[in-house]
């Protein structure tokens, strides 16, 4: 029997499947009773927040002002971001994680009769917000497996799809992309942006930008002055180690920021999150340590797993996508039995792959040892 509650639910929502995040450690411990499980599933920073963040939070808690609402405009954090990025604070929009920015963009620019354009194997929230808003998804086929950027974005195909679909109002580009870890050359991104009509918004997702080699990074901040329809979004969840506090932000033209702020929920960042993000931004030494650890271990893990005969996609993020040449679900289950949580990506049309977040040296060693046992059995 159909519930009467479904009668007036939005059509796009009715056929949605809820986003499934990486399994929490506590859940695996409840299921299997493994007390020393490790989580390499959600692209978190294994070093966690830096000492400056911990001190700022401790001081705020001791100060006893948590009964008051936070600054709904995030004045101090927006000013700090503006100083760091070289942009006016009114061009900064704060989000409850960068996911929040994606939702704000969808609420403003998507709806029935409109379409969002993004790549196959791109971040799951892009199609979720598109469908929830009743818009159409234009999914661009990814690059072939034998390409130099296997399963990554194909910007020439993006341009062709944009011309063929005049109802596109919002384009998502992830650089690097999640879950593949692949990236784009700056000239390929800007070459596409030049072809985008002024009324179509290009959303450039830079959640993993800090992990890229400097020579590969795009001058995206400079592009904002040339392309008013471009919006960049960043997060404090990855290199800054604040995934549990949920802080992200976008940079854009003042006009676009004004539109996003019209639908942004009041107090979407709590007081501790605002303080922590401001402290984290000032502690670039911790970001440097986090990136150095990640990039060193990413290279080591890539070489080690490649030596085991596995396919490791090239990555400039804090994770790697690893192919097994067969259904990866049994391997994922076997890893969980050994207390290692990783991320299955069958929902991204990559059923033969698993995504491994880069952990500490000890965590990565444990992953490799567990995989060695599984593949030998």
């Amino acid at each position: 029997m159909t519930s009467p509650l479904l009668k007036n639910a939005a059509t796009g929502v009715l056929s949605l499947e809820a986003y499934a995040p990486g399994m929490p450690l506590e859940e695996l411990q409840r299921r299997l009773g493994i007390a020393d499980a490790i989580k390499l599933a959600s692209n978190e920073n294994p070093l966690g927040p830096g000492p400056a963040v911990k001190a700022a939070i401790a001081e705020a808690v001791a100060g006893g002002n948590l009964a008051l609402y936070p600054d709904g405009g995030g004045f101090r954090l927006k000013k700090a971001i503006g100083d760091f990025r070289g942009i006016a604070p009114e061009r900064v929009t704060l989000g409850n994680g960068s996911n929040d920015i994606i939702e704000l963009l969808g609420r403003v620019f998507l709806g029935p009769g409109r379409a969002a354009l993004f790549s196959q194997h791109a971040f799951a929230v892009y199609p979720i917000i598109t469908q929830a808003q009743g818009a159409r998804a234009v999914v661009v086929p990814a690059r072939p497996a034998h390409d130099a950027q296997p399963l990554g974005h194909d910007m020439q195909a993006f341009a062709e799809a944009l011309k063929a679909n005049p109802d596109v109002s919002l384009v998502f580009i992830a650089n690097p992309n999640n879950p593949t870890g692949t990236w784009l050359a700056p000239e390929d991104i800007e070459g596409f942006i030049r072809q985008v009509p002024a009324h179509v918004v290009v959303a450039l997702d830079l959640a993993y930008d800090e992990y890229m080699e400097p020579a590969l990074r795009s001058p995206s901040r400079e592009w904002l002055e040339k392309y008013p329809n471009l919006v960049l979004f960043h997060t404090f969840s990855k290199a800054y180690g604040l995934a549990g506090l949920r802080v992200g932000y976008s940079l854009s033209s003042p006009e676009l920021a004004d539109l996003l702020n019209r639908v942004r929920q009041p107090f979407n960042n709590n007081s501790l999150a605002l303080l922590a993000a401001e402290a984290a931004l000032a502690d670039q030494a911790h970001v440097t340590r986090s990136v150095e650890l990640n990039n060193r271990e990413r290279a080591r893990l890539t070489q080690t797993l490649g030596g085991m005969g596995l396919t490791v996609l090239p990555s400039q993020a804090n994770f790697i996508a690893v192919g097994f040449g067969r259904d990866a679900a049994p391997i994922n289950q076997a890893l969980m039995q050994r207390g290692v949580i990783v991320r299955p990506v069958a929902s991204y049309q990559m059923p033969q792959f698993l995504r491994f977040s880069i952990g500490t040296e000890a965590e990565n060693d444990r992953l490799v040892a567990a995989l060695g046992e599984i593949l030998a059995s």
Side-chain angles (χ1 to χ4, degrees):
M1 181 177 177
T2 302
S3 168
L5 294 174
L6 304 181
K7 181 178 179 180
N8 291 322
T11 303
V13 174
L14 285 174
S15 53
L16 266 180
E17 291 187 12
Y19 177 79
M23 180 184 293
L25 282 169
E26 294 84 356
E27 183 175 344
L28 185 65
Q29 290 165 357
R30 286 195 301 268
R31 283 190 193 182
L32 302 179
I34 299 175
D36 63 341
I38 61 171
K39 182 184 178 190
L40 300 174
S42 298
N43 306 339
E44 295 141 336
N45 184 336
L47 297 183
V53 168
K54 295 176 182 178
I57 291 175
E59 183 179 349
V61 172
N65 63 350
L66 297 184
L68 304 179
Y69 282 108
D71 174 8
F75 175 83
R76 287 174 55 99
L77 179 56
K78 287 169 70 171
K79 184 181 184 305
I81 291 170
D83 291 343
F84 182 71
R85 296 291 181 185
I87 197 168
E90 59 266 24
R91 298 174 65 180
V92 178
T93 304
L94 298 179
N96 190 256
S98 58
N99 273 22
D100 198 20
I101 302 296
I102 297 170
E103 183 170 357
L104 297 180
L105 287 165
R107 292 180 65 191
V108 174
F109 295 107
L110 294 178
R114 299 177 185 177
L117 187 152
F118 47 85
S119 180
Q120 181 187 22
H121 313 309
F123 186 37
V125 177
Y126 307 158
I128 287 174
I129 191 60
T130 300
Q131 187 173 331
Q133 291 297 119
R136 188 171 69 91
V138 178
V139 183
V140 179
R143 301 180 78 90
H146 61 268
D147 192 88
Q149 289 288 331
L151 309 186
H153 290 22
D154 184 336
M155 297 317 293
Q156 182 177 346
F158 263 62
E160 293 169 358
L162 184 64
K163 291 177 183 177
N165 294 275
D167 57 341
V168 169
S169 56
L170 180 60
V171 180
F172 289 108
I173 301 171
N175 192 50
N177 179 56
N178 175 24
T180 60
T182 49
W183 65 96
L184 294 160
E187 58 269 23
D188 292 339
I189 300 174
E190 188 176 16
F192 169 75
I193 296 173
R194 285 197 202 100
Q195 303 177 58
V196 178
H199 66 279
V200 176
V201 173
V202 179
L204 183 54
D205 186 341
L206 300 171
Y208 301 96
D209 186 63
E210 289 85 358
Y211 295 106
M212 294 188 72
E213 295 174 25
L216 298 177
R217 284 192 202 128
S218 301
S220 52
R221 168 64 188 88
E222 298 173 15
W223 293 343
L224 286 177
E225 308 314 317
K226 295 194 283 184
Y227 308 106
N229 59 332
L230 176 65
V231 56
L232 316 174
F233 47 103
H234 296 266
T235 183
F236 286 94
S237 295
K238 310 303 179 187
Y240 289 89
L242 303 185
L245 288 174
R246 314 301 301 126
V247 190
Y249 63 94
S250 66
L251 310 176
S252 66
S253 66
E255 180 183 22
L256 205 156
D258 175 60
L259 291 171
L260 296 181
N261 277 301
R262 295 182 193 188
V263 295
R264 182 178 62 87
Q265 292 295 310
F267 312 119
N268 63 331
N269 296 114
N270 68 66
S271 297
L272 294 182
L274 291 170
L275 285 169
E278 186 181 350
L281 196 62
D283 187 6
Q284 289 298 310
H286 181 69
V287 176
T288 299
R289 286 191 295 272
S290 299
V291 171
E292 288 176 348
L293 168 66
N294 176 83
N295 294 0
R296 182 174 64 250
E297 283 299 296
R298 183 181 66 200
R300 184 173 75 94
L301 203 54
T302 296
Q303 182 177 20
T304 300
L305 297 180
M308 296 168 67
L310 302 175
T311 299
V312 184
L313 298 188
S315 173
Q316 282 289 309
N318 67 338
F319 59 83
I320 52 176
V322 179
F324 294 86
R326 55 191 169 100
D327 181 18
I331 297 169
N332 178 54
Q333 291 296 322
L335 283 169
M336 284 196 290
Q337 293 290 335
R338 290 165 172 78
V340 179
I341 305 174
V342 298
R343 190 69 153 99
V345 286
S347 60
Y348 287 90
Q349 300 177 327
M350 297 170 61
Q352 296 187 343
F353 284 79
L354 295 173
R355 191 190 69 194
F356 301 155
S357 302
I358 307 300
T360 63
E361 182 177 355
E363 288 172 334
N364 298 331
D365 285 344
R366 181 168 170 183
L367 168 65
V368 169
L371 273 176
E373 293 176 5
I374 294 164
L375 296 176
S377 63

